[in-house]
CSV table of all heavy atoms in Angstrom, one decimal:
chain,number,residue,atom,x,y,z
M,193,SER,N,32.2,9.6,-114.2
M,193,SER,CA,32.1,9.6,-112.8
M,193,SER,C,32.8,8.4,-112.2
M,193,SER,O,33.0,7.4,-112.9
M,193,SER,CB,30.6,9.6,-112.3
M,193,SER,OG,30.0,8.4,-112.6
M,194,ARG,N,33.1,8.5,-110.9
M,194,ARG,CA,33.7,7.3,-110.2
M,194,ARG,C,32.7,6.1,-110.2
M,194,ARG,O,33.1,5.0,-110.3
M,194,ARG,CB,34.0,7.7,-108.8
M,194,ARG,CG,35.1,8.7,-108.6
M,194,ARG,CD,35.6,8.7,-107.2
M,194,ARG,NE,34.6,8.9,-106.2
M,194,ARG,CZ,34.2,10.1,-105.7
M,194,ARG,NH1,34.8,11.2,-106.2
M,194,ARG,NH2,33.2,10.2,-104.9
M,195,GLY,N,31.4,6.4,-110.1
M,195,GLY,CA,30.4,5.3,-110.0
M,195,GLY,C,30.4,4.5,-111.3
M,195,GLY,O,30.3,3.3,-111.2
M,196,ILE,N,30.5,5.1,-112.4
M,196,ILE,CA,30.5,4.4,-113.7
M,196,ILE,C,31.8,3.6,-113.8
M,196,ILE,O,31.8,2.4,-114.2
M,196,ILE,CB,30.4,5.4,-114.9
M,196,ILE,CG1,29.1,6.1,-114.8
M,196,ILE,CG2,30.5,4.6,-116.2
M,196,ILE,CD1,28.9,7.2,-115.9
M,197,ILE,N,32.9,4.1,-113.3
M,197,ILE,CA,34.2,3.4,-113.4
M,197,ILE,C,34.0,2.1,-112.5
M,197,ILE,O,34.5,1.0,-112.8
M,197,ILE,CB,35.3,4.3,-112.9
M,197,ILE,CG1,35.6,5.3,-114.1
M,197,ILE,CG2,36.6,3.4,-112.6
M,197,ILE,CD1,36.7,6.2,-113.7
M,198,GLY,N,33.4,2.3,-111.3
M,198,GLY,CA,33.2,1.2,-110.4
M,198,GLY,C,32.3,0.1,-111.1
M,198,GLY,O,32.6,-1.1,-110.9
M,199,ALA,N,31.3,0.5,-111.8
M,199,ALA,CA,30.4,-0.4,-112.5
M,199,ALA,C,31.2,-1.1,-113.6
M,199,ALA,O,31.0,-2.4,-113.8
M,199,ALA,CB,29.2,0.3,-113.1
M,200,MET,N,32.0,-0.4,-114.3
M,200,MET,CA,32.8,-1.0,-115.3
M,200,MET,C,33.8,-2.1,-114.7
M,200,MET,O,34.0,-3.1,-115.3
M,200,MET,CB,33.6,0.0,-116.1
M,200,MET,CG,32.7,0.9,-117.0
M,200,MET,SD,33.7,2.3,-117.8
M,200,MET,CE,34.8,1.3,-118.8
M,201,SER,N,34.4,-1.7,-113.6
M,201,SER,CA,35.3,-2.6,-112.9
M,201,SER,C,34.6,-3.9,-112.5
M,201,SER,O,35.2,-5.0,-112.8
M,201,SER,CB,35.9,-1.9,-111.7
M,201,SER,OG,36.7,-2.8,-110.9
M,202,LEU,N,33.4,-3.8,-112.0
M,202,LEU,CA,32.7,-5.0,-111.6
M,202,LEU,C,32.3,-5.8,-112.8
M,202,LEU,O,32.4,-7.1,-112.8
M,202,LEU,CB,31.4,-4.6,-110.8
M,202,LEU,CG,30.5,-5.8,-110.4
M,202,LEU,CD1,31.2,-6.6,-109.4
M,202,LEU,CD2,29.2,-5.2,-109.7
M,203,LEU,N,31.8,-5.2,-113.9
M,203,LEU,CA,31.4,-5.9,-115.1
M,203,LEU,C,32.6,-6.6,-115.7
M,203,LEU,O,32.4,-7.7,-116.2
M,203,LEU,CB,30.8,-4.9,-116.1
M,203,LEU,CG,30.4,-5.5,-117.4
M,203,LEU,CD1,29.2,-6.5,-117.2
M,203,LEU,CD2,29.9,-4.4,-118.4
M,204,ILE,N,33.7,-5.9,-115.8
M,204,ILE,CA,34.9,-6.6,-116.4
M,204,ILE,C,35.3,-7.8,-115.6
M,204,ILE,O,35.7,-8.8,-116.2
M,204,ILE,CB,36.1,-5.6,-116.5
M,204,ILE,CG1,35.7,-4.5,-117.6
M,204,ILE,CG2,37.4,-6.3,-116.9
M,204,ILE,CD1,36.7,-3.3,-117.6
M,205,ALA,N,35.2,-7.8,-114.3
M,205,ALA,CA,35.5,-8.9,-113.5
M,205,ALA,C,34.5,-10.1,-113.8
M,205,ALA,O,35.0,-11.2,-114.0
M,205,ALA,CB,35.4,-8.6,-112.0
M,206,VAL,N,33.3,-9.8,-113.9
M,206,VAL,CA,32.3,-10.8,-114.3
M,206,VAL,C,32.6,-11.4,-115.7
M,206,VAL,O,32.5,-12.6,-115.9
M,206,VAL,CB,30.8,-10.2,-114.2
M,206,VAL,CG1,29.8,-11.2,-114.8
M,206,VAL,CG2,30.5,-9.8,-112.8
M,207,SER,N,33.0,-10.5,-116.6
M,207,SER,CA,33.3,-10.9,-117.9
M,207,SER,C,34.5,-11.8,-117.9
M,207,SER,O,34.6,-12.8,-118.7
M,207,SER,CB,33.6,-9.7,-118.8
M,207,SER,OG,32.5,-8.8,-118.9
M,208,ILE,N,35.5,-11.5,-117.1
M,208,ILE,CA,36.7,-12.4,-117.0
M,208,ILE,C,36.3,-13.8,-116.5
M,208,ILE,O,36.8,-14.8,-117.0
M,208,ILE,CB,37.7,-11.8,-116.0
M,208,ILE,CG1,38.3,-10.5,-116.7
M,208,ILE,CG2,38.8,-12.8,-115.7
M,208,ILE,CD1,39.2,-9.7,-115.7
M,209,LEU,N,35.4,-13.9,-115.6
M,209,LEU,CA,34.9,-15.2,-115.1
M,209,LEU,C,34.1,-15.9,-116.1
M,209,LEU,O,34.1,-17.1,-116.1
M,209,LEU,CB,34.0,-15.0,-113.8
M,209,LEU,CG,34.7,-14.4,-112.6
M,209,LEU,CD1,33.8,-14.1,-111.5
M,209,LEU,CD2,35.9,-15.3,-112.1
M,210,ILE,N,33.5,-15.2,-117.1
M,210,ILE,CA,32.8,-15.8,-118.2
M,210,ILE,C,33.9,-16.3,-119.2
M,210,ILE,O,33.8,-17.4,-119.7
M,210,ILE,CB,31.8,-14.8,-118.9
M,210,ILE,CG1,30.7,-14.5,-117.9
M,210,ILE,CG2,31.2,-15.5,-120.1
M,210,ILE,CD1,29.8,-13.4,-118.4
M,211,ARG,N,34.8,-15.4,-119.5
M,211,ARG,CA,35.8,-15.7,-120.6
M,211,ARG,C,37.1,-14.9,-120.2
M,211,ARG,O,37.1,-13.7,-120.2
M,211,ARG,CB,35.3,-15.3,-121.9
M,211,ARG,CG,36.3,-15.7,-123.0
M,211,ARG,CD,35.7,-15.4,-124.4
M,211,ARG,NE,34.8,-16.4,-124.8
M,211,ARG,CZ,34.2,-16.4,-126.0
M,211,ARG,NH1,34.4,-15.4,-126.9
M,211,ARG,NH2,33.3,-17.3,-126.4
M,212,PRO,N,38.2,-15.6,-119.9
M,212,PRO,CA,39.4,-14.9,-119.5
M,212,PRO,C,40.0,-13.9,-120.5
M,212,PRO,O,40.7,-13.0,-120.1
M,212,PRO,CB,40.4,-16.1,-119.3
M,212,PRO,CG,39.6,-17.3,-119.0
M,212,PRO,CD,38.3,-17.1,-119.8
M,213,ALA,N,39.6,-13.9,-121.7
M,213,ALA,CA,40.0,-12.9,-122.7
M,213,ALA,C,39.6,-11.5,-122.3
M,213,ALA,O,40.2,-10.5,-122.7
M,213,ALA,CB,39.4,-13.2,-124.1
M,214,SER,N,38.7,-11.4,-121.3
M,214,SER,CA,38.2,-10.1,-120.9
M,214,SER,C,39.2,-9.4,-120.0
M,214,SER,O,39.0,-8.2,-119.7
M,214,SER,CB,36.9,-10.3,-120.1
M,214,SER,OG,35.9,-10.8,-120.8
M,215,TYR,N,40.3,-10.0,-119.7
M,215,TYR,CA,41.4,-9.3,-119.0
M,215,TYR,C,41.9,-8.1,-119.8
M,215,TYR,O,42.3,-7.1,-119.3
M,215,TYR,CB,42.6,-10.2,-118.7
M,215,TYR,CG,42.5,-11.0,-117.4
M,215,TYR,CD1,42.3,-12.4,-117.5
M,215,TYR,CD2,42.6,-10.4,-116.2
M,215,TYR,CE1,42.2,-13.2,-116.3
M,215,TYR,CE2,42.5,-11.2,-115.0
M,215,TYR,CZ,42.3,-12.5,-115.1
M,215,TYR,OH,42.2,-13.3,-113.9
M,216,ILE,N,41.8,-8.2,-121.1
M,216,ILE,CA,42.2,-7.1,-122.0
M,216,ILE,C,41.4,-5.9,-121.8
M,216,ILE,O,41.9,-4.8,-122.1
M,216,ILE,CB,42.2,-7.6,-123.5
M,216,ILE,CG1,43.1,-6.7,-124.3
M,216,ILE,CG2,40.8,-7.6,-124.0
M,216,ILE,CD1,44.5,-6.7,-124.0
M,217,PHE,N,40.2,-6.0,-121.3
M,217,PHE,CA,39.3,-4.8,-121.1
M,217,PHE,C,39.8,-4.0,-119.9
M,217,PHE,O,39.3,-2.8,-119.8
M,217,PHE,CB,37.9,-5.2,-121.0
M,217,PHE,CG,37.3,-5.9,-122.2
M,217,PHE,CD1,36.4,-7.0,-122.0
M,217,PHE,CD2,37.7,-5.6,-123.4
M,217,PHE,CE1,35.9,-7.7,-123.1
M,217,PHE,CE2,37.2,-6.2,-124.6
M,217,PHE,CZ,36.3,-7.3,-124.4
M,218,ILE,N,40.7,-4.5,-119.2
M,218,ILE,CA,41.3,-3.6,-118.1
M,218,ILE,C,42.0,-2.4,-118.7
M,218,ILE,O,42.1,-1.4,-118.1
M,218,ILE,CB,42.3,-4.5,-117.2
M,218,ILE,CG1,41.5,-5.6,-116.5
M,218,ILE,CG2,43.0,-3.6,-116.3
M,218,ILE,CD1,42.3,-6.5,-115.7
M,219,VAL,N,42.5,-2.6,-120.0
M,219,VAL,CA,43.1,-1.4,-120.7
M,219,VAL,C,42.1,-0.3,-120.8
M,219,VAL,O,42.4,0.9,-120.6
M,219,VAL,CB,43.6,-1.9,-122.1
M,219,VAL,CG1,44.0,-0.7,-122.9
M,219,VAL,CG2,44.7,-2.9,-121.9
M,220,VAL,N,40.8,-0.7,-121.2
M,220,VAL,CA,39.8,0.3,-121.3
M,220,VAL,C,39.4,1.0,-119.9
M,220,VAL,O,39.3,2.2,-119.8
M,220,VAL,CB,38.5,-0.3,-121.9
M,220,VAL,CG1,37.4,0.8,-122.1
M,220,VAL,CG2,38.8,-0.9,-123.3
M,221,LEU,N,39.4,0.1,-118.9
M,221,LEU,CA,39.1,0.6,-117.6
M,221,LEU,C,40.2,1.6,-117.1
M,221,LEU,O,39.9,2.7,-116.6
M,221,LEU,CB,39.1,-0.6,-116.6
M,221,LEU,CG,38.9,-0.2,-115.1
M,221,LEU,CD1,37.5,0.4,-114.9
M,221,LEU,CD2,39.0,-1.5,-114.2
M,222,ALA,N,41.5,1.3,-117.4
M,222,ALA,CA,42.6,2.1,-117.1
M,222,ALA,C,42.5,3.5,-117.9
M,222,ALA,O,42.8,4.5,-117.3
M,222,ALA,CB,43.9,1.5,-117.4
M,223,ALA,N,42.1,3.4,-119.1
M,223,ALA,CA,41.9,4.6,-119.9
M,223,ALA,C,40.8,5.5,-119.3
M,223,ALA,O,41.0,6.8,-119.2
M,223,ALA,CB,41.6,4.3,-121.4
M,224,CYS,N,39.7,4.9,-118.9
M,224,CYS,CA,38.6,5.7,-118.3
M,224,CYS,C,39.1,6.3,-117.0
M,224,CYS,O,38.8,7.5,-116.6
M,224,CYS,CB,37.4,4.8,-118.1
M,224,CYS,SG,36.6,4.3,-119.6
M,225,ALA,N,39.8,5.5,-116.2
M,225,ALA,CA,40.4,6.0,-114.9
M,225,ALA,C,41.3,7.2,-115.1
M,225,ALA,O,41.3,8.2,-114.3
M,225,ALA,CB,41.0,4.9,-114.1
M,226,ALA,N,42.1,7.1,-116.2
M,226,ALA,CA,43.1,8.2,-116.5
M,226,ALA,C,42.3,9.5,-116.9
M,226,ALA,O,42.7,10.6,-116.5
M,226,ALA,CB,44.0,7.8,-117.6
M,227,ILE,N,41.2,9.3,-117.6
M,227,ILE,CA,40.4,10.5,-118.0
M,227,ILE,C,39.8,11.1,-116.7
M,227,ILE,O,39.9,12.3,-116.6
M,227,ILE,CB,39.3,10.1,-119.0
M,227,ILE,CG1,40.0,9.6,-120.3
M,227,ILE,CG2,38.3,11.2,-119.2
M,227,ILE,CD1,39.0,9.0,-121.3
M,228,GLN,N,39.3,10.3,-115.8
M,228,GLN,CA,38.7,10.8,-114.6
M,228,GLN,C,39.7,11.4,-113.7
M,228,GLN,O,39.4,12.3,-112.9
M,228,GLN,CB,37.9,9.7,-114.0
M,228,GLN,CG,37.1,10.0,-112.7
M,228,GLN,CD,35.9,11.0,-113.0
M,228,GLN,OE1,35.5,11.1,-114.2
M,228,GLN,NE2,35.4,11.6,-112.0
M,229,PHE,N,40.9,10.9,-113.7
M,229,PHE,CA,41.9,11.3,-112.8
M,229,PHE,C,42.3,12.8,-112.9
M,229,PHE,O,42.6,13.4,-111.9
M,229,PHE,CB,43.2,10.4,-113.1
M,229,PHE,CG,44.4,10.8,-112.1
M,229,PHE,CD1,44.4,10.2,-110.9
M,229,PHE,CD2,45.3,11.7,-112.5
M,229,PHE,CE1,45.5,10.4,-110.0
M,229,PHE,CE2,46.4,12.0,-111.7
M,229,PHE,CZ,46.5,11.3,-110.4
M,230,ILE,N,42.1,13.3,-114.1
M,230,ILE,CA,42.5,14.7,-114.4
M,230,ILE,C,41.7,15.7,-113.6
M,230,ILE,O,42.2,16.6,-113.0
M,230,ILE,CB,42.4,15.0,-115.9
M,230,ILE,CG1,43.3,14.1,-116.7
M,230,ILE,CG2,42.7,16.5,-116.2
M,230,ILE,CD1,43.1,14.2,-118.2
M,231,ASN,N,40.4,15.4,-113.5
M,231,ASN,CA,39.5,16.3,-112.8
M,231,ASN,C,39.0,15.8,-111.5
M,231,ASN,O,38.1,16.4,-110.9
M,231,ASN,CB,38.3,16.7,-113.7
M,231,ASN,CG,38.7,17.3,-115.0
M,231,ASN,OD1,39.6,18.2,-115.0
M,231,ASN,ND2,38.1,16.9,-116.1
M,232,GLU,N,39.5,14.7,-111.0
M,232,GLU,CA,39.1,14.1,-109.8
M,232,GLU,C,39.7,14.7,-108.6
M,232,GLU,O,40.9,14.9,-108.5
M,232,GLU,CB,39.4,12.6,-109.8
M,232,GLU,CG,38.9,11.8,-108.6
M,232,GLU,CD,37.4,11.8,-108.4
M,232,GLU,OE1,36.7,11.6,-109.4
M,232,GLU,OE2,37.0,12.1,-107.3
M,233,GLN,N,38.9,15.1,-107.6
M,233,GLN,CA,39.4,15.6,-106.3
M,233,GLN,C,39.8,14.5,-105.3
M,233,GLN,O,40.8,14.6,-104.6
M,233,GLN,CB,38.3,16.6,-105.7
M,233,GLN,CG,38.0,17.8,-106.5
M,233,GLN,CD,37.0,18.7,-105.9
M,233,GLN,OE1,36.3,18.3,-105.0
M,233,GLN,NE2,36.9,19.9,-106.4
M,234,HIS,N,39.0,13.5,-105.3
M,234,HIS,CA,39.2,12.4,-104.4
M,234,HIS,C,39.9,11.2,-105.2
M,234,HIS,O,39.2,10.2,-105.5
M,234,HIS,CB,37.9,11.9,-103.7
M,234,HIS,CG,37.2,13.1,-103.0
M,234,HIS,ND1,37.6,13.6,-101.8
M,234,HIS,CD2,36.1,13.8,-103.4
M,234,HIS,CE1,36.8,14.6,-101.5
M,234,HIS,NE2,35.9,14.7,-102.4
M,235,ARG,N,41.1,11.3,-105.4
M,235,ARG,CA,41.8,10.3,-106.3
M,235,ARG,C,42.0,8.9,-105.6
M,235,ARG,O,42.0,7.9,-106.3
M,235,ARG,CB,43.1,10.8,-106.8
M,235,ARG,CG,42.9,12.0,-107.7
M,235,ARG,CD,44.2,12.7,-108.1
M,235,ARG,NE,44.0,13.7,-109.2
M,235,ARG,CZ,44.9,14.5,-109.6
M,235,ARG,NH1,46.1,14.5,-109.2
M,235,ARG,NH2,44.6,15.4,-110.6
M,236,THR,N,42.0,8.9,-104.3
M,236,THR,CA,42.1,7.6,-103.6
M,236,THR,C,40.8,6.9,-103.8
M,236,THR,O,40.8,5.7,-104.0
M,236,THR,CB,42.4,7.8,-102.1
M,236,THR,OG1,43.6,8.5,-101.9
M,236,THR,CG2,42.4,6.5,-101.4
M,237,ARG,N,39.7,7.6,-103.7
M,237,ARG,CA,38.4,7.0,-103.9
M,237,ARG,C,38.3,6.5,-105.4
M,237,ARG,O,37.7,5.4,-105.6
M,237,ARG,CB,37.2,8.0,-103.7
M,237,ARG,CG,37.1,8.4,-102.2
M,237,ARG,CD,36.0,9.3,-102.0
M,237,ARG,NE,35.9,9.8,-100.6
M,237,ARG,CZ,35.1,10.7,-100.2
M,237,ARG,NH1,34.1,11.2,-101.0
M,237,ARG,NH2,35.1,11.1,-98.9
M,238,LEU,N,38.8,7.2,-106.3
M,238,LEU,CA,38.8,6.8,-107.7
M,238,LEU,C,39.6,5.5,-107.9
M,238,LEU,O,39.1,4.6,-108.6
M,238,LEU,CB,39.4,7.9,-108.6
M,238,LEU,CG,39.7,7.5,-110.1
M,238,LEU,CD1,38.4,7.2,-110.8
M,238,LEU,CD2,40.5,8.6,-110.8
M,239,ALA,N,40.7,5.4,-107.2
M,239,ALA,CA,41.5,4.2,-107.3
M,239,ALA,C,40.7,3.0,-106.7
M,239,ALA,O,40.7,1.9,-107.3
M,239,ALA,CB,42.8,4.3,-106.6
């Protein structure tokens, strides 16, 4: 769901502030967004 992607986005940002190595987890966020993109009707909201 979009909500889980939003939660992941927020958590990754917090993780980056804890340790900058967390920037790499944006790759995982992008993969989840790509999966959701296929069946998403409101793609602007997803972004």
Side-chain angles (χ1 to χ4, degrees):
S193 70
R194 293 195 307 266
I196 299 174
I197 288 177
M200 292 175 64
S201 177
L202 181 63
L203 176 65
I204 290 172
V206 173
S207 300
I208 291 170
L209 297 176
I210 295 171
R211 182 177 283 182
S214 298
Y215 274 112
I216 197 63
F217 298 142
I218 293 176
V219 173
V220 180
L221 178 65
C224 292
I227 293 171
Q228 184 67 16
F229 182 84
I230 298 173
N231 299 317
E232 179 63 48
Q233 294 180 345
H234 305 286
R235 290 175 175 173
T236 301
R237 294 181 185 178
L238 171 62

